[in-house]
Amino acid sequence: MTTLLSRNRDYRLLWGGQVISETGFSTSMIAFPLLVLAVTGSAAQSGLVLGAVAIAQLAAGLPAGALVDRWNRKKIMLACEAVQGLAAAALVAALWWGVANVAMMIAVAAVMGLCRALFEPAEEASLPRLVTVDQVPSAVAMNAARSSAGQLSGTALGGFLFALGRMVPFVFDVIAHVLAFAALLFVRLPPKPVEHRTATPHLGREIVAGLRWVWRQPHVRITAVCAICLNLFFSAYYLVIIVLADSRGVPAGEIGVMAAMLGGGGILGALAAPYLHRKLSPYVLIISVFWALTVLTPLAVFVHNGYLMGLLFAAMAFLPPAANTTISTYQLLLTPDAMRGRLGGVMGVTGGLAAAAGPALGGWLVDAVPGGTAVLVCAGAIAVVTLLATFNPTLRRFPRRVDETTADLPEEPEMLDTKGKSNG
């Protein structure tokens, strides 16, 4: 009988530490624009500081994935926690001495983005070595729930702590990273297989090998395209809904609750994901997400209450974690250990680019057409993608399980161990 994930000491330590770390990070992300506004009064500069996190994370994504496959993954995660804690501490010190400025805030935000670009693929690549194969779906789902919970709690906490003092949210962030670092110290992560390289490592070639790997796996490729399309159009839709709610006179408090209910639906969906992963085929799960969004997104045209829109958001957010669990589990177990960091880097960058472009598309739609029409445009785009996905033959043949040893291996011999395959 498979050991319950809750009894996996090392996973519990990693998961618990990252709940705290992600809460601290989300606290800082809410406090940053408030701090910039308090110091400079400029909304544009607030956006510049927040944008530095996303830009740094996207710019470093592909190289970070390749470096994760080179270096010791536990040391990468420890270093990322330590550096984020030091960066937040430097900002606290600057605020204490009254010398904090926008340039420093941008630098701190960029450091945080770089650390996340390294940490996320390192943790994801380590997962199949930290838990059993049967536990991977539950671990993927619990990580999704953790991220949503950390974002929700950090968002709520950030504003409250900032009201106590400008530096208080960042002090909390420092403490959060220290605690996460301490938890990581006690995680027993099995070492990667020993690699015998026949050539000097070349970062550019390793990045290209990762991109080639993703492109040559048809199920990985099609699910990546699906994720890009949904992230793009739903991110646009989300902004359109916020603007539409404001134009209809929905109070700011209701809009906040509405956004929180989206996260709440994601948490509930993540908790249900292991059960749905076991009971439904991958094709049914993936297509259900598309059809649920296709049916639910146009209903916003008729909803004028923030709480009802929040319920609609929660319903939209319920199924994606289960589909993501199925997709991520397949990708992780298909990919050789020596390539998993690059897989995470490629997926992170493609998803991040779509999520970044979505709000820009939503903003353009709001300016170009009335709010209700903008909602229907986004919903129509999602419907078109849904039809294409429904009849896609690759998705229809999406396997329920994968044997790691049957995966195609990277071409570069220097990226393999002595057996030519992953032992993870």
Side-chain angles (χ1 to χ4, degrees):
M1 181 180 294
T2 303
T3 304
L4 292 174
L5 189 61
S6 60
R7 297 176 186 171
N8 186 319
R9 166 194 174 275
D10 297 302
Y11 178 75
R12 287 202 322 268
L13 280 170
L14 177 60
W15 192 90
Q18 287 311 298
V19 167
I20 300 169
S21 179
E22 292 191 23
T23 301
F25 176 81
S26 296
T27 299
S28 286
M29 291 304 101
I30 287 297
F32 260 129
L34 297 175
L35 176 61
V36 177
L37 285 171
V39 172
T40 68
S42 170
Q45 290 186 351
S46 293
L48 190 62
V49 172
L50 278 185
V53 179
I55 292 169
Q57 193 166 356
L58 285 174
L62 294 179
L67 293 174
V68 163
D69 287 333
R70 279 193 195 179
W71 297 341
N72 182 293
R73 289 166 184 165
K74 180 178 176 179
K75 290 181 179 178
I76 289 174
M77 291 188 284
L78 284 168
C80 288
E81 290 295 348
V83 170
Q84 286 184 91
L86 289 172
L91 181 56
V92 169
L95 289 169
W96 177 264
W97 292 106
V99 295
N101 54 38
V102 172
M104 181 183 186
M105 295 176 205
I106 290 174
V108 170
V111 167
M112 290 179 174
L114 290 171
C115 288
R116 287 178 71 82
L118 275 165
F119 189 99
E120 289 175 0
E123 182 190 17
E124 184 177 322
S126 300
L127 206 58
R129 307 192 64 77
L130 199 62
V131 302
T132 66
V133 170
D134 290 339
Q135 290 174 341
V136 170
S138 296
V140 169
M142 288 303 296
N143 282 4
R146 179 195 78 197
S147 296
S148 295
Q151 184 176 12
L152 274 177
S153 58
T155 300
L157 193 59
F160 171 75
L161 293 179
F162 189 83
L164 298 178
R166 292 181 181 180
M167 70 178 68
V168 177
F170 303 101
V171 171
F172 177 82
D173 196 16
V174 173
I175 296 170
H177 290 302
V178 169
L179 293 175
F181 181 90
L184 265 171
L185 280 176
F186 294 98
V187 173
R188 297 170 300 197
L189 180 62
K192 293 192 302 180
V194 176
E195 297 176 19
H196 293 269
R197 297 181 181 270
T198 59
T200 302
H202 187 282
L203 189 62
R205 284 197 293 269
E206 291 175 350
I207 292 172
V208 170
L211 292 167
R212 186 184 299 128
W213 164 262
V214 171
W215 184 253
R216 289 183 175 179
Q217 309 307 314
H219 294 101
V220 177
R221 184 175 68 243
I222 190 62
T223 50
V225 172
C226 288
I228 290 170
C229 292
L230 280 189
N231 278 342
L232 175 66
F233 294 123
F234 189 77
S235 296
Y237 175 84
Y238 179 79
L239 180 65
V240 168
I241 293 299
I242 298 298
V243 175
L244 183 61
D246 181 68
S247 68
R248 288 175 171 175
V250 176
E254 282 189 30
I255 293 177
V257 171
M258 182 175 77
M261 291 176 76
L262 176 68
I267 293 174
L268 292 176
L271 295 176
Y275 175 81
L276 295 174
H277 171 78
R278 291 192 303 269
K279 295 298 182 181
L280 300 177
S281 72
Y283 173 73
V284 169
L285 264 180
I286 295 168
I287 295 304
S288 294
V289 172
F290 282 94
W291 278 105
L293 290 175
T294 298
V295 171
L296 294 174
T297 50
L299 299 181
V301 173
F302 309 104
V303 177
H304 294 260
N305 179 277
Y307 300 117
L308 289 178
M309 190 63 222
L311 288 174
L312 197 59
F313 269 163
M316 293 176 194
F318 183 76
L319 282 177
N324 289 338
T325 294
T326 293
I327 293 168
S328 296
T329 298
Y330 174 83
Q331 291 175 349
L332 279 174
L333 297 183
L334 174 76
T335 307
D337 185 86
M339 189 66 75
R340 283 178 180 146
R342 278 164 284 182
L343 170 73
V346 172
M347 294 295 105
V349 168
T350 54
L353 285 173
L361 174 61
W364 176 82
L365 281 173
V366 168
D367 288 338
V369 296
T373 304
V375 169
L376 294 177
V377 169
C378 293
I382 291 172
V384 170
V385 176
T386 296
L387 290 174
L388 294 175
T390 300
F391 296 104
N392 183 274
T394 302
L395 279 182
R396 294 177 72 88
R397 295 192 300 268
F398 201 102
R400 185 177 286 274
R401 295 179 62 87
V402 61
D403 180 359
E404 284 184 275
T405 61
T406 64
D408 294 336
L409 296 175
E411 297 176 352
E412 290 75 8
E414 67 268 22
M415 297 176 191
L416 304 176
D417 64 14
T418 54
K419 295 183 180 179
K421 65 181 182 181
S422 164
N423 294 320

